[in-house]
Amino acid sequence: MITETLTTDLPDLLKLAVNDAVKLLAAGEVVALPTETVYGLAADALNADAVAKIFAAKERPTFDPLIVHVPHKKDLDMVADIPEDIAPTVKRLIERFWPGPLTLILPKKACVPDIVTAGLPTVAVRASQNLVFNRVARTLEKPLAAPSANRFGSISPTSAAAVLSELDGRIPLIVDGGACHFGLESTIVKVEAASPKPRLIILRPGPITAEDLKAYGKPVSIDKLKADEKPEAPGMLASHYAPRTPLRILDSPNDFLPDPDKTYALLSYRGEPEDGYTDLVEWKQMQILSPGKGKLPEAAVRFFYALRALDECGADEIISEPLPERGLGVAMMDRLRRAATIK
Ligand code: TXA
Ligand code: MG
């Protein structure tokens, strides 16, 4: 199969790209589309055969359920029911954060095929705020299942070029919408009725932080729950988002004992020598997430891009500085810990 890439940076090109994407999706094909988080590999969520093509292209195991994107926030009921006991909270969250990078786990409607939810009674649902994605979803007027557009277990793509390197020859079309606004996958939340406040269980940290969620209930990270309290969270494998090159988070620069026969590449937060990392060895390549002061949103946008570049530079090992674990840093450290093959 030849993979075509269509750009969207002029109004006429956008129209052509959206038309082609809609045509393919309506015919049960898969298309890679930009979202505000990462690029997604989309298919008609209500067409099981189309969704099966996502799993095939990504080589994704079928126990790992997909996120469904509704065209508009009012369309939540296309795929999900809202239990009465959490309805006020769910409505407030949607009012505040949709369209945007917040995915909610809710009881699924019967029309959602089992392949989408890996047989679970729940569905993960969000509405994207990306202009290109929205045009496609709203023209098609259907919910779109769309996991990140990478091979299973590898680094999420934040550019059309990254999608191409992951899925070239496996999908018919990539719509190039430029760089992704956030650069990290959506925050996944399960709302649970509780007193005095509903519990907002964070299954995957992302651009909407625990701090952002505070006004709507009590945010709790799934890692903090006891085994018998944890909601099902398939797909959150410990090893995930992994570059092919071994990666280690170096908590302190003093802990580094480089092997003289190996080459190393550095993922640096600010690239500041005073942090103690930039001069440890002669790095084969150094990627700086946010030069100077270090700003977490800028670091997030560059995060997967930088990891991908380091993975491709040919070093024997990637060394990562630890990132500040607040705001978007929580989501980045989550991804880094999952990516770390050397502990
Ligand atoms: O930002 C995003 O969420 C991106 C863009 C494309 O929208 N999508 C994304 O999808 O990250 P994916 O497939 O890479 O991650 C989906 C994860 C699954 O691995 C699983 O952990 C969780 O969502 N998930 C999906 N359905 C679920 C369910 N019913 N219950 C619990 N977790 C679920
Ligand atoms: Mg993914």
Side-chain angles (χ1 to χ4, degrees):
M1 185 186 301
I2 300 213
T3 302
E4 192 181 6
T5 300
L6 293 175
T7 55
T8 55
D9 35 17
L10 293 169
D12 284 350
L13 295 177
L14 172 63
K15 236 189 234 170
L16 287 173
V18 168
N19 280 347
D20 275 13
V22 168
K23 251 192 242 159
L24 282 164
L25 291 165
E29 287 301 327
V30 295
V31 176
L33 296 173
T35 87
E36 73 278 42
T37 58
V38 301
Y39 274 71
L41 183 61
D44 175 352
L46 306 184
N47 177 342
D49 293 337
V51 173
K53 292 180 187 170
I54 296 179
F55 284 90
K58 282 183 57 102
E59 293 174 37
R60 182 178 175 114
T62 48
F63 63 74
D64 191 2
L66 306 180
I67 293 177
V68 175
H69 303 67
V70 288
H72 195 277
K73 60 180 166 187
K74 69 173 168 41
D75 297 326
L76 170 66
D77 63 359
M78 278 180 171
V79 294
D81 292 318
I82 313 181
E84 231 167 72
D85 57 350
I86 57 167
T89 306
V90 168
K91 283 183 183 142
R92 288 182 66 215
L93 285 168
I94 289 176
E95 223 22 76
R96 169 68 183 84
F97 296 111
W98 279 17
L102 178 70
T103 296
L104 296 170
I105 306 293
L106 290 166
K108 82 170 189 86
K109 283 232 155 88
C111 61
V112 180
D114 279 340
I115 185 170
V116 172
T117 63
L120 292 174
T122 52
V123 60
V125 55
R126 79 179 191 98
S128 170
Q129 68 184 208
N130 179 279
L131 174 117
V132 177
F133 192 98
N134 269 338
R135 287 266 180 110
V136 173
R138 291 176 187 181
T139 309
L140 193 69
E141 288 185 305
K142 278 191 180 162
L144 289 171
S148 49
N150 50 278
R151 302 263 196 108
F152 180 69
S154 102
I155 302 169
S156 294
T158 49
S159 68
V163 178
L164 190 67
S165 80
E166 291 282 332
L167 299 174
D168 192 13
R170 294 166 166 254
I171 60 173
L173 177 62
I174 300 168
V175 180
D176 186 348
C180 297
H181 179 81
F182 291 103
L184 294 172
E185 305 89 343
S186 62
T187 307
I188 304 181
V189 170
K190 179 152 199 222
V191 181
E192 271 186 12
S195 155
K197 274 184 179 176
R199 288 213 299 185
L200 308 176
I201 301 172
I202 301 174
L203 304 186
R204 178 175 73 183
I208 310 289
T209 63
E211 190 62 33
D212 299 329
L213 292 168
K214 255 189 189 159
Y216 305 85
K218 187 169 188 286
V220 200
S221 162
I222 188 167
D223 304 330
K224 300 267 154 66
L225 294 180
K226 293 189 216 104
D228 61 338
E229 279 190 322
K230 285 189 190 192
E232 281 209 73
M236 296 302 291
L237 300 178
S239 132
H240 211 126
Y241 312 99
R244 286 176 299 271
T245 314
L247 181 144
R248 167 158 47 143
I249 304 167
L250 189 63
D251 286 319
S252 158
N254 302 327
D255 296 343
F256 195 43
L257 296 169
D259 176 341
D261 296 331
K262 280 190 174 173
T263 57
Y264 296 90
L266 179 69
L267 183 66
S268 174
Y269 180 42
R270 313 184 306 151
E272 291 291 314
E274 68 192 48
D275 293 339
Y277 289 88
T278 57
D279 300 327
L280 278 176
V281 283
E282 187 142 343
W283 303 105
K284 177 134 197 196
Q285 188 178 120
M286 173 164 61
Q287 286 285 336
I288 303 171
L289 291 174
S290 179
K293 279 192 187 149
K295 296 196 185 90
L296 288 165
E298 180 183 31
V301 168
R302 290 183 40 76
F303 182 71
F304 283 129
Y305 165 82
L307 264 184
R308 195 170 278 279
L310 294 176
D311 197 17
E312 284 162 9
C313 82
D316 295 315
E317 256 180 50
I318 300 171
I319 300 294
S320 174
E321 293 180 13
L323 306 176
E325 237 168 325
R326 57 184 152 76
L328 286 160
V330 175
M332 283 185 276
M333 282 305 285
D334 168 75
R335 308 305 189 265
L336 278 177
R337 290 201 180 97
R338 289 174 203 282
T341 38
I342 312 171
K343 311 273 175 182

